[in-house]
Amino acid sequence: MNYVIPTVGVEEEYQLVDPKDGSLIPNCKQVMQTIRRSGGEEKAHSEIQHELHLNQIEMASEVCESLEQVRDTLNQTRLMLVDAARTNESELAAAGTNPLPVPEDDALTPKDRYQAMTDRYQQIARDLFIFGCHVHVAMDDQDLGIRVMNRCRRWLPILQAITANSPFWNGVDTGYASYRRELWAQWPMAGPPAHFDSLSDYQDCVDQLIRSGAIKDESFLYWDIRLPTRVPTIEFRAADVMTKVEETVGYVGLIRAIVMHAMDAERQAIDFQPIRPSVLSYAIWHSARYGMTEDLVDAESCEKVPAGELLDRTMDVLAPALKATGEAGPVEHFANRLLSDGTGADRQRRGSDLSNIVTQVVAETVPNVIPA
């Protein structure tokens, strides 16, 4: 098979926490000022950004040609952010939620877009102390992008399960592996995308959403898979941010292989049956609830499958695409570690009290490398 190997990019959202008790600290402005003064972004080949709340900080990588480049960028960026956070009496933590009670002060980032979102969505915006990982894969052809997005919907449940890293919220164990997903799912433009018959069908949907007042423009679509308006990519947005760099590297490689597999299936005109929206939504919820600890729902066949078996099936299907990249190793390592050690949510639940869990996450967030 003649696979096209696309470039990739990754975004990670991090917590800024109190080094004493692990609670969220709204000092993003100060951390960003420290980074700007040091010229750190250029050195790390990434952009550092605000998010909705000031106790969040986000990185967006440059375009990466390989997983090695992804790893280097994540290592350099995290080390830079850790140093800047510590300069401002805080620590960096990579997990989908903070387990301690939510801050009483909203500490919103003073940007018009965020203020408008909060004015409109009220409590669900004020509660949005969540942290995700977004992966971009190059997609120059929007028509092809819609068809690839249709094919990739099937993978959303397993992707949700393997990245689950938010079992605690507001001081309690929620019973979910990814409670971040449940908080995010309250937003009207969140969740899995529909199956679109064509690019014009997609554009009609966007036009109707704009006319109805649901969104201001296409950039306000927050689906689990979307076609961004600013960059020619297909973007996967369903994952909790993962604690360890190698987890993110493996996940990026997995997403790239999924897109490559879908593009090849399009090239061969392989027929497939669209998944019903209700089935897909349930399968994703089930994955958020249980992570990799119970059977998962295969949304294509509607059967329950042991989580490890469904992951193995996924790896088997993607094996040709992974081999074509020459970088199957990090993805296989990620999958094997999931089967032996569990998800980030599983590791958090092995901790003791909530503050110690944050301490554990902080320790695992820092890359185990020597700065260049």
Side-chain angles (χ1 to χ4, degrees):
M1 298 180 187
N2 296 319
Y3 287 99
V4 174
I5 303 175
T7 56
V8 294
V10 61
E11 302 169 23
E12 290 190 318
E13 298 164 350
Y14 306 112
Q15 305 173 25
L16 293 165
V17 301
D18 188 316
K20 298 184 183 68
D21 63 12
S23 60
L24 291 167
I25 293 180
N27 67 346
C28 179
K29 282 184 179 180
Q30 294 91 329
V31 173
M32 289 186 69
Q33 287 169 358
T34 298
I35 292 167
R36 299 279 193 265
R37 287 195 296 266
S38 69
E41 290 174 288
E42 185 175 347
K43 298 174 188 175
H45 303 288
S46 61
E47 181 181 354
I48 307 304
Q49 305 166 341
H50 287 285
E51 252 300 334
L52 178 61
H53 293 106
L54 287 171
N55 36 44
Q56 303 170 293
I57 194 164
E58 181 179 17
M59 67 80 70
S61 76
E62 293 183 349
V63 175
C64 296
E65 302 281 347
S66 66
L67 295 187
E68 182 178 2
Q69 191 177 352
V70 171
R71 180 185 294 107
D72 288 345
T73 299
L74 287 172
N75 282 334
Q76 292 174 35
T77 302
R78 286 195 183 195
L79 286 171
M80 173 186 67
L81 286 168
V82 167
D83 184 60
R86 289 174 177 172
T87 298
N88 292 279
E89 300 181 341
S90 56
E91 290 281 359
L92 196 75
T97 54
N98 183 284
L100 292 156
V102 297
E104 295 181 6
D105 183 359
D106 293 339
L108 292 171
T109 298
K111 289 180 66 174
D112 290 343
R113 182 183 179 108
Y114 296 145
Q115 189 59 59
M117 290 168 65
T118 305
D119 289 345
R120 184 171 194 189
Y121 294 108
Q122 293 291 307
Q123 193 62 41
I124 64 173
R126 292 191 288 269
D127 282 347
L128 206 66
F129 296 100
I130 62 173
F131 306 83
C133 173
H134 305 161
V135 177
H136 292 259
V137 181
M139 183 64 61
D140 293 327
D141 182 340
Q142 195 174 40
D143 181 72
L144 175 61
I146 291 297
R147 289 179 279 128
V148 167
M149 187 165 72
N150 285 339
R151 289 181 181 273
C152 290
R153 294 166 74 243
R154 64 174 285 199
W155 303 107
L156 286 170
I158 187 67
L159 294 177
Q160 182 69 74
I162 64 177
T163 61
N165 194 24
S166 51
F168 299 99
W169 170 253
N170 201 21
V172 300
D173 187 328
T174 65
Y176 283 79
S178 176
Y179 195 64
R180 169 192 168 273
R181 188 265 174 189
E182 298 310 300
L183 292 164
W184 181 233
Q186 298 174 86
W187 288 73
M189 292 301 112
H195 177 98
F196 294 102
D197 294 334
S198 63
L199 179 58
S200 63
D201 183 30
Y202 166 78
Q203 291 169 336
D204 285 346
C205 174
V206 172
D207 290 344
Q208 289 176 22
L209 288 169
I210 292 172
R211 291 203 309 272
S212 67
I215 58 175
K216 181 179 178 181
D217 56 53
E218 195 174 349
S219 72
F220 285 84
L221 293 175
Y222 297 122
W223 297 329
D224 294 338
I225 312 174
R226 70 174 182 178
L227 300 177
T229 57
R230 293 192 302 114
V231 289
T233 64
I234 184 169
E235 180 186 10
F236 288 69
R237 301 172 47 85
D240 289 1
V241 67
M242 287 153 279
T243 301
K244 298 180 180 181
V245 165
E246 285 305 315
E247 293 173 313
T248 304
V249 173
Y251 180 67
V252 171
L254 189 69
I255 296 296
R256 181 177 62 179
I258 286 172
V259 173
M260 290 169 61
H261 174 76
M263 291 174 68
D264 186 66
E266 275 298 310
R267 182 179 62 81
Q268 298 185 60
I270 297 173
D271 193 27
F272 73 104
Q273 185 67 34
I275 299 169
R276 293 186 183 277
S278 295
V279 172
L280 184 58
S281 292
Y282 173 73
I284 295 170
W285 174 86
H286 188 90
S287 293
R289 169 67 174 87
Y290 297 105
M292 295 291 288
T293 63
E294 300 283 346
D295 291 353
L296 296 175
V297 177
D298 183 330
E300 274 200 313
S301 65
C302 298
E303 62 177 330
K304 280 191 174 181
V305 182
E309 181 180 329
L310 189 59
L311 180 57
D312 286 342
R313 287 186 192 178
T314 301
M315 294 296 290
D316 287 345
V317 170
L318 300 178
L322 288 169
K323 183 179 179 181
T325 67
E327 294 187 300
V331 183
E332 292 169 352
H333 176 73
F334 175 46
N336 291 335
R337 288 298 296 268
L338 281 165
L339 296 176
S340 62
D341 295 346
T343 63
D346 297 326
R347 295 200 306 275
Q348 286 193 50
R349 283 190 167 122
R350 294 179 199 134
S352 51
D353 65 78
L354 299 182
S355 291
N356 285 337
I357 290 169
V358 179
T359 300
Q360 169 190 314
V361 168
V362 166
E364 293 183 357
T365 298
V366 181
N368 187 24
V369 296
I370 299 173

